Amino acid sequence: PTGSGTVLQASPLLPDLEKALAERYRTVRLHELADPAAALREHADDVVAAVTSARFGVANSLMDALPRLRAIVHFGVGYETTDVTHARARGIDVSNTPDVLTDCVADLAVGALIDVMRALSAGDRYVRDGKWSSAPFPLATRVSGKRIGILGLGRIGRAVARRFEGFGTSIAYCSRTPVADVPYRHVPTARELAAECDALVVTVAGGAATRGLVSAEVLEALGPRGYLVNVARGSVVDEQALVAAVSEGRIAGAALDVFADEPNVPRALLESDRVVLLPHIASATHETRRAMGDLVLDNLHRFMTEGTLLTPVP
Ligand code: NDP
């Protein structure tokens, strides 16, 4: 048990979550302070837990400045912005918010693929722009019955696959280790998966291990009739190669919830009708964000009362 130390908030969080943190714990909102260095000097010896989001993480230098820090609690399932090896070496445990966001992220991946293949957003723009009376809307591409490739068959990848079962699709996947209890075909590499599917849905973890996994070569294999959906992390896709492939019609289209340098989106994508562009909203529903906030509070409560975390990262 860690007693009643201070909780450091290292990134902006939902207003309700910030309120709950402030009500329950002595909290320092580091990211809001004009002089964070001075605040650190004042509070460094009291901070036992840090709460943060995947966007910010906790830098190694911040961990090093907090000698009593023993827990980093992430809002979100991705935690690649925190160096877990460094944390462990300092005796700091790390948690995330798995499972509670899986359904909403999978829903969005399916919706985004239907959007880009059936041109829903493009059709909406066409009606709003008053073009309906002057020219017929171009034909789109059928979704049902297609071959879906899932890159990363984890919690979210499986939820995407389950949804597509209802569309009469055939489903294959790529992950480093074949998954035992699924009816889908394992394909050893991303390139082979891309070559044999009509739509490649990216649901791998982010971080150094998957950087650029969807390379120019993988996009080439996806080909001019293939679609890409990315709800994982912008870093997983070679964005320059994607821009080139979209601009030159070497893939049919892409639906992207995540980008290499958010919130900056390459101009060529903004100008293309082949892409659906979303502002990193896959988990952004009232229900899921509340559940994520609750899981952050539950992790923190467990840590402050028992010294352990409820959903530690592997
Ligand atoms: P999981 O850890 O359950 O799944 C990740 C999967 O990726 C694992 O099955 C893993 O399998 C696979 N994987 C890892 N590295 C590779 C690789 N090099 N090649 C192929 N497969 C690989 O995580 P979740 O499903 O819960 O979440 C997935 C990711 O989705 C998160 O890490 C996060 O970045 C992103 N996400 C995005 C959101 C958004 O708002 N857009 C919201 C929530 C999550 P194996 O180890 O066998 O390779």
Side-chain angles (χ1 to χ4, degrees):
T2 51
S4 57
T6 294
V7 173
L8 183 96
Q9 186 187 325
S11 81
L13 297 166
L14 294 179
D16 282 353
L17 179 55
E18 293 193 345
K19 191 163 163 272
L21 287 173
E23 282 168 4
R24 295 179 197 188
Y25 305 104
R26 198 161 57 235
T27 307
V28 177
R29 292 186 190 172
L30 192 66
H31 63 287
E32 282 179 4
L33 299 173
D35 188 354
L40 271 186
R41 279 193 299 277
E42 187 186 338
H43 298 286
D45 290 335
D46 308 325
V47 172
V48 294
V51 180
T52 190
S53 60
R55 175 121 187 259
F56 285 73
V58 172
N60 288 353
S61 56
L62 183 53
M63 293 184 217
D64 296 346
L66 302 169
R68 287 181 61 212
L69 182 67
R70 290 294 170 268
I72 296 174
V73 177
H74 285 88
F75 179 90
V77 73
Y79 50 88
E80 69 279 359
T81 43
T82 294
D83 181 345
V84 176
T85 309
H86 188 82
R88 291 237 161 87
R90 295 195 57 94
I92 301 167
D93 287 336
V94 178
S95 69
N96 61 350
T97 59
D99 299 314
V100 294
L101 45 65
T102 296
D103 281 338
C104 273
V105 178
D107 291 350
L108 184 120
V110 173
L113 182 61
I114 295 175
D115 190 332
V116 69
M117 290 182 79
R118 295 298 307 273
L120 302 186
S121 293
D124 179 82
R125 286 193 292 276
Y126 169 91
V127 173
R128 287 174 198 274
D129 292 349
K131 295 179 180 165
W132 196 2
S133 53
S134 50
F137 190 67
L139 296 181
T141 305
R142 178 183 160 108
V143 177
S144 289
K146 286 286 158 49
R147 299 168 302 167
I148 306 292
I150 311 247
L151 184 55
L153 198 73
R155 291 171 291 247
I156 294 170
R158 283 190 203 214
V160 170
R162 277 197 303 276
R163 282 158 175 71
F164 275 120
E165 285 181 23
F167 286 74
T169 57
S170 65
I171 297 166
Y173 72 97
C174 168
S175 55
R176 289 166 302 182
T177 323
V179 180
D181 54 344
V182 294
Y184 321 123
R185 197 160 44 83
H186 180 254
V187 176
T189 68
R191 197 194 61 74
E192 287 166 87
L193 184 66
E196 59 176 75
C197 69
D198 302 303
L200 183 67
V201 184
V202 182
T203 52
V204 289
T210 56
R211 183 168 297 279
L213 183 62
V214 179
S215 60
E217 195 193 21
V218 170
L219 295 169
E220 206 63 46
L222 190 57
R225 295 160 73 89
Y227 291 84
L228 176 75
V229 175
N230 187 7
V231 293
R233 287 287 182 255
S235 59
V236 180
V237 176
D238 178 340
E239 200 168 76
Q240 283 188 354
L242 175 64
V243 166
V246 166
S247 305
E248 295 160 21
R250 286 186 283 105
I251 66 168
L256 309 168
D257 186 47
V258 287
F259 300 87
D261 178 30
E262 295 171 9
N264 301 307
V265 176
R267 174 159 296 282
L269 295 182
L270 295 173
E271 290 170 352
S272 172
D273 244 5
R274 291 173 182 274
V275 293
V276 170
L277 305 171
L278 300 170
H280 200 146
I281 51 170
S283 71
T285 62
H286 293 293
E287 297 87 342
T288 285
R289 287 287 166 88
R290 197 178 312 118
M292 292 164 68
D294 288 347
L295 191 47
V296 163
L297 291 171
D298 290 348
N299 268 292
L300 205 51
H301 177 73
R302 172 77 79 91
F303 174 74
M304 293 303 246
T305 54
E306 295 176 31
T308 57
L309 290 166
L310 199 58
T311 51
V313 305

